[in-house]
Amino acid sequence: MPEIAEVARIADFIRKHLVGKTLSTVKAQHDENVFGKVGTSAAEFEKHLTGKKITGVGTQGKYFWMTMSQPPHPLCHFGMAGWFHIRGVPTAYYKPQKASPKAPSGEAEEAWPPKYWKFALTTSDGTEAAFVDFRRFGRVRLVDCSASEIRNVSPLKENGPDPVVDKDVVTETWLKELCGRRRVPIKALLLDQANISGVGNWVGDEVLFRARVHPEQYANTLSGEQVRGLHAALHYVCGLACEVLGDSSRFPEHWLFKHRWGKGKKDAFNKLPSGERIVFVTVGGRTSAVVPSVQKKTGPVAGDVKGSDGDDGGEGGGKIKKGRGGNKRKTEEVEEEDEEEEEVKEEDEVEEPKPSRRGRKSNPRLPVTDSEPSSALKTKPATNGTANTTAKRSIIKRQAETNGPAAKKGRSKAAAEPVPEIEQEVQETNGEVKGEQEGTEETAKKGRGRGGSKKQKTEVEQETEVPKEEAKGKAKTSRAKKAQAEEPPSEPLTGRRRSGRLSGR
């Protein structure tokens, strides 16, 4: 941003090239930000300036104006990136945009009017000038008053004194009173144009560095000696910068300005020639360059200088940032832990299968599988008690061993294929028992009348019931084999023994 020194430079060029000349042509492009926000329009600007003579130029802080032969007078502010160009004169910050084939060898033709121009002036002798602002933060207004009263109208009257133009106002006593009544960081106080006009970011840092005052220290805590040093540094820095018209190549080598621009640049050391480190902090909404070894904190401050090496920060003043991959690595670790937990859970389920959700007693059916052998068994009448119980138990366990994977997947999966050997064994067992059943039919009917057969069937179904969530893998197979090994061989019982048991009940 153009500050007090850059504005003084432009005023000097206007004084040399435009003062005393009459404006023959005035053109303006209306911009609602540059003209409209301060109550001016491009049409009004052209109308009131065409044909008038420029009699003088003035500055206050970051403002400059041209006094005309009669009011109104144009008052300008550069904003963040505005500038004033004079054709054929290197006013700085402007380079010819392209070379012309008609121009002499080695020379470049200057494009005119320059890009982003807001108003352009042409004098009677052919001198051309233009105000440009590509970011549109600049302001151009017309003030309708006498030339001597320009500083007494808004916005100049709301701004503080200029340390160069108003050197007799900005005294040590005045500065001490200003600091004593403001409890704000001293850097913020200097940047506030209502206090002092023209001090911007780099000028404020240079003044505080020369005064050996930390920018975050509260203004009302400065000692008399610090205020004295601040006053001397303010006049020294602003006076010399305006004297050389803001030409940084003519600044002294020991100035902070010469070494502060390495922030964020690769291989930048951010050190003074003497070796003192330069760190960066934010004060008053602006980035401030600080030399901690020179600018000590001698009183309460608005905040601590945060860096990588303690209170005065690391080289470059950059804040330590978290790596971008940290959260991703953490997420991957959590996902790996979750996968391990799932594997452990599956192993537990194989070793200790859970019963069905409803429980055994609440479901008297045989939810083994949906295979054909199971359906055939359920359709046979269970009238021979222990023989059928023992035979069915052995057959069902062998069936479960054979159809284990199908049972594991549940009823929603395809039913397992029927096993011919088991189906044949079921038929043989039923044939052996058929003859014996005829001799005891009457006794069996009595037993069924008392509910015995029904009760036996319920007991068989309960004993042979398999949970809905069958065990998985090898654990289920091993249990089935173990149960089959422990089971005694089933032998057909005589009708007398069977009849005796039934009659005993």
Side-chain angles (χ1 to χ4, degrees):
M1 175 186 289
E3 302 181 28
I4 188 172
E6 289 79 13
V7 172
R9 179 181 182 86
I10 292 304
D12 183 74
F13 279 104
I14 293 174
R15 192 177 294 110
K16 291 177 180 178
H17 298 277
L18 295 177
V19 171
K21 299 179 180 181
T22 302
L23 299 177
S24 60
T25 305
V26 178
K27 296 181 180 180
Q29 296 186 114
H30 184 71
D31 188 303
E32 194 59 36
N33 288 347
V34 177
F35 291 101
K37 285 191 174 182
V38 290
T40 309
S41 67
E44 291 178 347
F45 189 87
E46 293 177 354
K47 175 182 176 181
H48 291 295
L49 266 63
T50 302
K52 292 183 180 179
K53 184 179 181 178
I54 302 175
T55 60
V57 62
T59 65
Q60 179 181 332
K62 299 180 182 181
Y63 284 94
F64 73 95
W65 61 90
M66 293 178 283
T67 56
M68 311 305 292
S69 53
Q70 63 182 29
H73 312 280
L75 176 64
C76 306
H77 190 288
F78 284 136
M80 292 291 293
W83 198 246
F84 193 85
H85 298 290
I86 299 177
R87 190 171 189 178
V89 179
T91 59
Y93 307 110
Y94 180 75
K95 298 179 181 179
Q97 296 181 352
K98 58 183 179 180
S100 171
K102 298 181 180 180
S105 177
E107 296 182 8
E109 183 181 16
E110 182 180 3
W112 199 266
K115 196 174 182 180
Y116 307 113
W117 68 279
K118 301 305 174 183
F119 68 79
L121 311 174
T122 303
T123 65
S124 55
D125 67 348
T127 303
E128 295 180 273
F131 180 97
V132 300
D133 182 14
F134 77 93
R135 296 193 65 181
R136 305 173 63 210
F137 287 111
R139 299 291 181 264
V140 177
R141 52 167 56 86
L142 296 172
V143 291
D144 191 4
C145 63
S146 63
S148 60
E149 294 294 322
I150 292 178
R151 297 192 64 184
N152 296 326
V153 300
S154 296
L156 299 182
K157 68 177 183 179
E158 286 85 16
N159 286 3
D162 185 302
V164 176
V165 177
D166 305 313
K167 190 173 182 178
D168 56 339
V169 176
V170 184
T171 63
E172 181 180 338
T173 303
W174 176 89
L175 185 59
K176 185 176 181 179
E177 291 177 356
L178 175 64
C179 293
R181 65 174 182 265
R182 299 296 302 276
R183 184 174 173 78
V184 295
I186 185 60
K187 173 71 179 290
L189 182 142
L190 294 176
L191 293 180
D192 189 348
Q193 300 300 295
N195 299 322
I196 304 174
S197 292
V199 177
N201 199 43
W202 80 260
V203 172
D205 286 347
E206 196 68 49
V207 169
L208 292 173
F209 171 68
R210 305 302 306 172
R212 307 176 72 88
V213 175
H214 197 281
E216 290 185 317
Q217 185 167 339
Y218 285 115
N220 63 345
T221 65
L222 297 178
S223 64
E225 183 179 355
Q226 287 177 312
V227 173
R228 189 177 304 111
L230 184 64
H231 175 262
L234 181 63
H235 284 288
Y236 166 70
V237 173
C238 293
L240 182 57
C242 291
E243 182 181 340
V244 300
L245 302 177
D247 186 355
S248 59
S249 64
R250 300 171 63 185
F251 290 171
E253 286 297 324
H254 62 270
W255 273 25
L256 181 64
F257 181 94
K258 290 282 191 176
H259 313 282
R260 60 167 292 165
W261 306 110
K263 180 186 177 184
K265 295 182 180 180
K266 187 177 181 181
D267 300 329
F269 293 101
N270 293 325
K271 290 183 180 180
L272 295 176
S274 57
E276 287 92 348
R277 290 183 305 161
I278 302 173
V279 298
F280 297 90
V281 295
T282 301
V283 185
R286 303 296 299 276
T287 299
S288 302
V290 186
V291 181
S293 60
V294 175
Q295 298 166 264
K296 303 290 185 180
K297 302 176 184 179
T298 60
V301 296
D304 293 327
V305 181
K306 297 180 180 180
S308 59
D309 291 337
D311 291 341
D312 55 0
E315 294 186 13
K319 295 183 180 179
I320 301 174
K321 297 182 179 180
K322 296 182 180 179
R324 293 185 177 180
N327 292 335
K328 184 177 180 181
R329 289 194 298 270
K330 184 176 180 180
T331 303
E332 292 176 352
E333 293 174 0
V334 171
E335 291 177 354
E336 291 177 358
E337 293 176 359
D338 292 341
E339 291 176 359
E340 293 176 358
E341 291 178 359
E342 290 178 359
E343 292 176 0
V344 172
K345 184 177 180 181
E346 290 179 359
E347 293 177 359
D348 293 342
E349 289 178 352
V350 171
E351 294 176 358
E352 297 182 3
K354 296 180 180 180
S356 62
R357 184 170 59 183
R358 296 183 178 181
R360 291 189 176 185
K361 294 183 179 180
S362 61
N363 186 9
R365 297 183 180 180
L366 292 175
V368 181
T369 60
D370 290 335
S371 59
E372 292 297 330
S374 175
S375 301
L377 286 175
K378 291 171 66 175
T379 57
K380 299 292 181 179
T383 57
N384 61 336
T386 307
N388 274 350
T389 300
T390 305
K392 288 183 180 180
R393 184 182 303 167
S394 176
I395 293 170
I396 290 173
K397 287 182 178 180
R398 291 175 60 185
Q399 178 187 352
E401 178 181 353
T402 305
N403 297 333
K408 176 182 177 181
K409 293 181 180 179
R411 293 179 178 269
S412 62
K413 304 295 181 179
E417 294 293 333
V419 182
E421 297 179 356
I422 297 177
E423 187 174 3
Q424 183 178 0
E425 185 174 352
V426 171
Q427 294 176 358
E428 292 177 355
T429 304
N430 292 333
E432 292 175 359
V433 178
K434 184 176 181 180
E436 300 176 358
Q437 288 177 346
E438 294 177 356
T440 57
E441 183 178 359
E442 185 176 353
T443 307
K445 288 182 180 181
K446 295 181 180 180
R448 285 197 300 272
R450 295 192 302 268
S453 179
K454 184 178 180 180
K455 185 176 180 181
Q456 289 178 10
K457 182 177 180 180
T458 304
E459 290 178 355
V460 171
E461 290 175 345
Q462 291 179 356
E463 291 175 358
T464 58
E465 181 181 0
V466 180
K468 288 184 179 180
E469 298 179 5
E470 288 292 335
K472 300 178 180 180
K474 296 181 180 180
K476 180 179 179 0
T477 304
S478 61
R479 285 200 309 275
K481 289 182 177 181
K482 184 177 179 181
Q484 184 178 0
E486 295 177 355
E487 184 68 26
S490 57
E491 297 180 359
L493 300 177
T494 61
R496 184 179 300 175
R497 292 178 59 187
R498 188 182 302 109
S499 176
R501 290 192 177 186
L502 294 173
S503 61
R505 293 183 182 180

